[in-house]
C-alpha cells in the first residue's frame, strides 16, 4: 500500500532527478561556440567538446565553472587517461603518448571536476586532451586554470572555452595513430556577473615558450576562426569581446 510518506519520498526523488542536470546541459547554448573545424559533438557530464577525427584531438572544449565546482572530494588519484570509445578508430591511446616527449594536456582540467566522480572520470578521456609540453602543462597553462577557479569562486560562475591551435601546414604527430601536436592553445573566459566581461589567452606549445598572450576574444576569434559566445545579445557580445582588460577580472564590479 502506498502511503502519503512514500508518495512524498517518490516526489522528492523525482524532483531531484529532474534538477540534476549536468554542468554541460545548464549553459550549453551560451558556452557552445560556432564555426571552426567540423567535429563530432560529445556531451559529457561537465563539458561539451567538438572532436576532430582527423587530428585525433578536440577542436574545442567548453564548460561552465561555478563556485561550487571549484572543489570537492573526487580527486584524480588512481585515475588514468582512457581511450574514448564514443569516437571512431583510429583514435588516441596510451601508447601514442608514451615516450612521445609530450604530456597529456587536459583541456577541461581535472581540478575543475572534483565536485563529481563521473565528471572527474570523463575529464581523463583522450578526447579531452592534447599533446602538450610539460613546461606548458605544469606552468603557464596551469596558472591560467588556477586563475579561472579563482574567478569562478569570486564571481560565482564563468564560461570557458579552450582548445588547440594547429599550424597552417601539416602538423607534427605522435604515435601510431598520428595524434596532432598543436603549435599553441587558446582559452577564452566569459563572466556575466555585474558588468559582463571576457578575456582571451594564447599559449605557445614550443620549446621557446614565452609568456601567454592576453588578448580580446575578438582577437582569439580571428586567430582560430571560431565564434565564441555567439548566443549573447549582439550588443553585449560586441562590447565584451572587444576588451582584453585583465584588471576587469580582478575587480568585482
Amino acid at each position: 500500500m502506498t502511503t502519503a510518506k512514500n508518495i512524498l519520498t517518490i516526489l522528492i526523488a523525482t524532483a531531484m532527478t529532474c534538477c540534476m542536470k549536468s554542468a554541460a546541459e545548464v549553459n550549453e547554448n551560451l558556452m557552445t561556440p560556432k564555426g571552426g573545424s567540423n567535429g563530432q559533438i560529445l556531451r559529457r557530464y561537465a563539458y561539451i567538446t567538438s572532436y576532430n577525427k582527423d587530428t585525433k584531438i578536440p577542436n574545442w572544449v567548453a564548460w561552465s565553472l561555478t563556485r561550487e565546482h571549484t572543489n570537492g572530494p573526487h580527486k584524480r588519484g588512481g585515475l588514468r587517461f582512457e581511450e574514448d570509445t564514443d569516437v571512431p578508430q583510429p583514435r588516441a591511446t596510451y601508447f601514442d603518448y608514451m615516450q612521445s616527449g609530450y604530456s597529456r594536456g587536459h583541456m577541461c582540467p581535472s581540478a575543475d571536476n572534483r565536485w563529481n566522480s563521473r565528471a572527474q572520470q570523463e575529464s581523463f578521456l583522450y578526447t579531452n586532451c592534447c599533446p602538450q609540453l610539460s613546461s606548458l602543462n605544469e606552468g603557464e597553462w596551469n596558472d591560467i586554470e588556477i586563475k579561472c577557479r579563482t574567478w569562478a569562486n569570486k564571481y560565482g560562475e564563468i564560461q570557458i572555452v579552450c582548445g588547440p591551435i594547429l599550424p597552417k601546414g601539416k602538423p607534427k604527430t605522435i604515435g601510431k595513430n598520428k595524434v596532432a601536436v598543436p603549435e599553441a592553445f587558446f582559452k577564452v573566459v566569459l563572466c556575466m556577473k555585474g558588468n559582463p566581461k571576457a578575456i582571451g589567452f594564447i599559449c605557445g606549445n614550443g620549446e621557446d615558450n614565452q609568456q601567454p598572450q592576453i588578448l580580446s576574444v575578438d582577437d582569439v576569434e580571428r586567430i582560430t576562426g571560431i565564434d565564441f559566445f555567439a548566443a549573447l545579445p549582439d550588443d553585449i557580445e560586441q562590447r565584451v569581446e572587444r576588451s582584453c582588460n585583465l584588471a576587469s577580472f580582478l575587480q568585482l564590479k
Side-chain angles (χ1 to χ4, degrees), residues 20-26 44-47 63-76 108-123 149:
M20 287 175 64
K21 289 186 176 181
S22 73
E25 290 175 317
V26 173
R44 304 305 185 193
Y45 197 70
Y47 62 86
W63 67 103
S64 176
L65 183 60
T66 68
R67 182 179 293 121
E68 293 74 22
H69 290 177
T70 57
N71 211 339
H74 304 285
K75 298 184 179 180
R76 64 185 295 163
C108 180
S110 165
D112 284 11
N113 290 286
R114 295 173 184 162
W115 56 281
N116 182 274
S117 60
R118 176 180 168 188
Q120 183 65 271
Q121 289 170 354
E122 290 181 346
S123 79
R149 287 190 287 276

Side-chain angles (χ1 to χ4, degrees), residues 133-146 212:
L133 286 176
S134 295
S135 57
L136 174 60
N137 184 260
E138 298 168 10
E140 291 91 346
W141 194 249
N142 181 59
D143 291 344
I144 295 171
E145 291 174 348
I146 293 170

Side-chain angles (χ1 to χ4, degrees), residues 30 65 151-152 154-160 188-199 217 229 232 236 239-240 248-249 251-253:
L30 176 59
L65 183 60
W151 293 331
K154 184 173 186 176
Y155 298 115
E157 182 176 16
I158 57 175
Q159 314 299 324
I160 305 169
V188 292
V189 184
L190 171 69
C191 176
M192 295 299 291
K193 173 76 174 182
N195 295 326
K197 44 195 158 289
I199 195 166
V217 174
F229 314 126
L232 286 173
I236 296 178
R239 175 158 45 90
V240 301
S248 67
F249 273 88
Q251 304 172 25
L252 186 59
K253 291 185 176 179

Side-chain angles (χ1 to χ4, degrees), residues 6-103:
N6 288 339
I7 292 172
L8 180 60
T9 301
I10 293 169
L11 289 173
I12 292 173
T14 302
M16 289 180 66
T17 300
C18 292
C19 292
M20 287 175 64
K21 289 186 176 181
S22 73
E25 290 175 317
V26 173
N27 286 304
E28 178 174 346
N29 189 47
L30 176 59
M31 67 189 184
T32 303
K34 295 181 179 179
S37 301
N38 293 328
Q40 179 182 350
I41 300 299
L42 303 169
R43 290 174 173 82
R44 304 305 185 193
Y45 197 70
Y47 62 86
I48 302 169
T49 181
S50 168
Y51 172 74
N52 190 317
K53 65 181 177 61
D54 296 322
T55 61
K56 318 298 187 302
I57 58 176
N59 296 313
W60 51 260
V61 180
W63 67 103
S64 176
L65 183 60
T66 68
R67 182 179 293 121
E68 293 74 22
H69 290 177
T70 57
N71 211 339
H74 304 285
K75 298 184 179 180
R76 64 185 295 163
L79 292 176
R80 296 181 63 182
F81 281 95
E82 298 287 345
E83 232 179 294
D84 192 338
T85 57
D86 286 339
V87 301
Q89 293 180 322
R91 54 187 176 237
T93 70
Y94 167 82
F95 295 102
D96 290 315
Y97 282 84
M98 187 174 66
Q99 297 182 338
S100 69
Y102 290 90
S103 295

